[in-house]
Amino acid sequence: MKSLYSRFVLTTIGIMLLSFILGLMAANSYYHNAIKHNNDRKNTEIAKEFADYIESEKPDSVQRYLKNAAASGYQIYMINDSGEEKFFGADFRNNNLSNDARQKVLSGKVYHGMRDFPKQLFVTGFFANELTNTVGVPFHYNGGNYALFIRPDIQLLFNEVHSLLGWITGIMAVLTIMFVLISSKYMVNPITQLTVATKEIHGGNFDVELDINREDEIGQLAKSFKEMLTKLGQLDELRSEFVSNVSHDIQTPLLNIQGYTKLLEKGDITEEEKRHYFRVIDEETNRLSSLTQQLLVLTTVDKEEKGFLRPAYFEVSQQIKDIIWKYLWLLDEKGISVNYSIPDLIFHGDPTLLYNVWENLLTNSMKYNKENGEIEILLTDEQEHIRVVFKDSGIGLSPEEQKRIFDRFYRADNSRTKVEGTGLGLSIVKSIVEMHEGRIHVDSKQGEGSAFTVILPKM
Ligand code: ADP
């Protein structure tokens, strides 16, 4: 498997090569379509000037004249009708000129080898140092016919620029590759870190350090990853805590039931003790039943299926009052006083699920209350929605705890040791409220009490 790093480096170098080839092809095509004709015309004019000079000024030595002309930056080939040929200036790489072309010029016509130079994919005709890639003009000298072929000596003209351009291109290529090698490492490093972190998480370790502090998309990904990591770590912690809580919550009543059944079996007990044992067994089975019920509600609200709600018109006011009466004995036992303002109100919602909401909020305000504390319950009809508030004078919650109490399995520090619970109640409450498209929030002050407000839209 190729690593992302090598893939990135290879792709960049590939792009560089491809751009180079495409650039070459584009320049080549530009030369053939736009520059070639012009180039041919200009050089023909220059060749004609050489020829005119020879014809009009009749220099003593044509050869010396052409040698000087070549020194000013041309490659020159001359032939006369007796077949004598001469080259001036730098050699042609290829002396492949057709006899036809020679004869044509000797007979007085102009040869346009530059204009007609064939188009080739990677060879820019401009640089093709061939005798065919010249222009040819005729001239007369001392009664003889001559043909003069010339082309600019590109190497001579471009010698310095040539090597300068070569160096620039070479240095650019080397530097680009070096920077690509370094920058790719920098770009790929966070992904490598994330991959290692994912493997660690897979192995159950949520305590992974990520040294990624970037603002770009990868930085955002790393940030979300870190948040997810914290959440996963918390969930994992809560889950194992929950398992031990639930096991404890199941085991304690079972042990009690077992113990009291054995005592009842013995038989040598008074009627009074017998009644007491039966009551304990009854309470413990109720506890087990409510625990399993809560777990069951959790799995059903977890599905969050739209069709899961079974809404009906029902007297929500009566429902809340029924729950208060159900717990009057416990409230009495704890010395907690309840004040409520619950006007008659019909609501459209799922009665069974909403029963869970009120019961959870009421039992919490009893569990986390102080001795001889108070509970206030308010139901108000507010046109678009209904508002239900459960306010207690209990132990309260810190701002940190308030943020997390709706998380599944979460139990605030002060309740862990003192009161039995699973940390599921409020997360169930929140799911049910949200299934009704409502909201729940808490206002609380540590040591002074909490108020849970549920707002449900009228469906
Ligand atoms: P449980 O009561 O089973 O622990 P809940 O989900 O009902 O679980 O509540 C989560 C936690 O929120 C509780 O453990 C408790 O710490 C805190 N809490 C809930 N209701 C109150 C309240 N009325 N006053 C103070 N703390 C509360």
Side-chain angles (χ1 to χ4, degrees):
M1 189 194 72
K2 274 200 188 105
S3 71
L4 188 60
Y5 176 67
S6 58
R7 223 175 256 261
F8 199 80
V9 171
L10 287 178
T11 311
T12 313
I13 294 173
I15 289 173
M16 273 170 64
L17 279 176
L18 189 71
S19 316
F20 178 74
I21 291 168
L22 289 179
L24 195 69
M25 283 164 73
N28 191 21
S29 167
Y30 180 64
Y31 173 77
H32 284 291
N33 295 321
I35 303 179
K36 197 160 78 168
H37 286 76
N38 221 3
N39 210 22
D40 184 283
R41 190 178 46 73
K42 274 198 295 195
N43 282 289
T44 309
E45 275 167 22
I46 292 165
K48 276 185 177 158
E49 273 172 32
F50 290 160
D52 285 350
Y53 182 84
I54 296 169
E55 283 184 347
S56 59
E57 301 298 324
K58 297 189 176 50
D60 296 340
S61 162
V62 173
Q63 293 194 17
R64 198 177 325 126
Y65 171 67
L66 288 179
K67 201 173 155 200
N68 286 340
S72 67
Y74 289 92
Q75 289 166 275
I76 300 177
Y77 166 68
M78 186 185 76
I79 183 168
N80 65 13
D81 45 11
S82 340
E84 283 172 46
E85 16 174 50
K86 273 267 176 243
F87 286 91
F88 305 94
D91 290 340
F92 288 97
R93 192 176 53 79
N94 193 341
N95 292 339
N96 54 350
L97 186 64
S98 71
N99 252 339
D100 269 4
R102 289 188 181 93
Q103 290 313 318
K104 198 174 136 186
V105 181
L106 284 171
S107 67
K109 298 215 175 77
V110 176
Y111 168 70
H112 290 287
M114 279 187 177
R115 187 192 64 194
D116 302 333
F117 193 75
K119 218 175 186 175
Q120 288 170 32
L121 201 55
F122 292 113
V123 182
T124 305
F126 185 64
F127 293 104
N129 180 15
E130 298 176 19
L131 192 49
T132 28
N133 194 18
T134 54
V135 291
V137 293
F139 71 89
H140 301 286
Y141 184 73
N142 282 345
N145 289 332
Y146 286 81
L148 179 70
F149 295 85
I150 71 161
R151 65 171 263 104
D153 186 346
I154 304 294
Q155 215 170 350
L156 187 77
L157 294 177
F158 283 94
N159 222 0
E160 249 112 85
V161 186
H162 221 194
S163 53
L164 196 69
L165 279 177
W167 273 105
I168 292 177
T169 318
I171 291 172
M172 255 172 63
V174 171
L175 285 182
T176 310
I177 291 172
M178 264 170 57
F179 284 131
V180 165
L181 285 171
I182 298 167
S183 65
S184 311
K185 259 247 139 26
Y186 169 76
M187 298 235 262
V188 172
N189 176 40
I191 297 179
T192 316
Q193 277 195 52
L194 286 174
T195 316
V196 173
T198 318
K199 281 190 187 139
E200 286 283 318
I201 295 169
H202 187 70
N205 176 19
F206 296 96
D207 192 19
V208 187
E209 279 293 316
L210 285 179
D211 182 24
I212 305 171
N213 300 306
R214 284 164 46 168
E215 295 295 320
D216 56 8
E217 286 84 347
I218 292 183
Q220 290 292 324
L221 174 71
K223 202 168 148 228
S224 311
F225 192 87
K226 276 186 209 167
E227 283 167 9
M228 186 190 76
L229 210 64
T230 319
K231 203 87 192 158
L232 274 177
Q234 285 172 351
L235 256 178
D236 191 58
E237 209 175 287
L238 290 172
R239 200 187 305 274
S240 47
E241 205 172 300
F242 169 73
V243 172
S244 75
N245 273 351
V246 170
S247 322
H248 172 261
D249 283 7
I250 290 176
Q251 201 147 24
T252 321
L254 280 177
L255 279 176
N256 279 343
I257 292 169
Q258 214 174 20
Y260 284 107
T261 330
K262 276 200 182 123
L263 282 177
L264 282 166
E265 248 176 11
K266 276 192 185 165
D268 55 343
I269 41 170
T270 62
E271 266 313 299
E272 170 84 9
E273 282 171 325
K274 206 170 164 181
R275 267 201 304 278
H276 173 68
Y277 295 166
F278 274 126
R279 205 176 62 233
V280 174
I281 292 171
D282 186 48
E283 275 170 15
E284 294 299 57
T285 37
N286 278 344
R287 226 171 100 184
L288 276 175
S289 148
S290 82
L291 178 69
T292 41
Q293 213 174 348
Q294 219 178 17
L295 290 171
L296 229 106
V297 175
L298 186 74
T299 49
T300 30
V301 295
D302 248 1
K303 287 186 196 147
E304 276 189 34
E305 286 167 11
K306 270 245 174 270
F308 178 70
L309 274 187
R310 306 219 184 289
Y313 285 97
F314 71 103
E315 262 189 78
V316 66
S317 44
Q318 194 52 49
Q319 188 178 52
I320 299 173
K321 280 182 203 159
D322 284 347
I323 295 168
I324 299 171
W325 287 329
K326 180 175 160 187
Y327 285 98
L328 268 184
W329 65 274
L330 193 60
L331 287 160
D332 199 43
E333 202 175 272
K334 291 185 175 236
I336 298 172
S337 61
V338 185
N339 293 312
Y340 59 83
S341 154
I342 304 179
D344 290 349
L345 187 66
I346 307 267
F347 182 71
H348 189 237
D350 189 318
T352 321
L353 290 181
L354 287 173
Y355 189 95
N356 266 295
V357 172
W358 320 132
E359 188 171 34
N360 253 304
L361 292 176
L362 178 67
T363 48
N364 274 354
S365 57
M366 289 191 284
K367 277 199 296 188
Y368 306 110
N369 218 320
K370 292 174 189 156
E371 214 156 296
N372 300 322
E374 283 166 22
I375 297 175
E376 201 180 341
I377 302 165
L378 305 169
L379 168 67
T380 30
D381 183 359
E382 298 180 349
Q383 283 195 358
E384 302 283 305
H385 50 256
I386 66 164
R387 176 189 297 264
V388 188
V389 182
F390 284 80
K391 191 166 177 236
D392 64 63
S393 58
I395 53 176
L397 292 154
S398 72
E400 261 318 299
E401 290 166 342
Q402 286 175 43
K403 277 190 211 151
R404 299 192 56 197
I405 47 168
F406 296 106
D407 286 352
R408 195 161 288 182
F409 312 134
Y410 177 78
R411 308 199 69 213
D413 277 342
N414 55 16
S415 56
R416 279 190 195 164
T417 44
K418 290 184 205 151
V419 202
E420 279 175 8
T422 53
L424 285 175
L426 285 178
S427 76
I428 293 175
V429 165
K430 188 166 186 259
S431 299
I432 296 173
V433 169
E434 283 173 355
M435 280 165 89
H436 284 80
E437 280 163 25
R439 285 177 286 133
I440 176 163
H441 66 262
V442 59
D443 293 302
S444 181
K445 222 172 189 181
Q446 230 166 357
E448 289 183 19
S450 317
F452 286 82
T453 307
V454 175
I455 296 168
L456 295 173
K458 292 179 180 170
M459 291 205 272

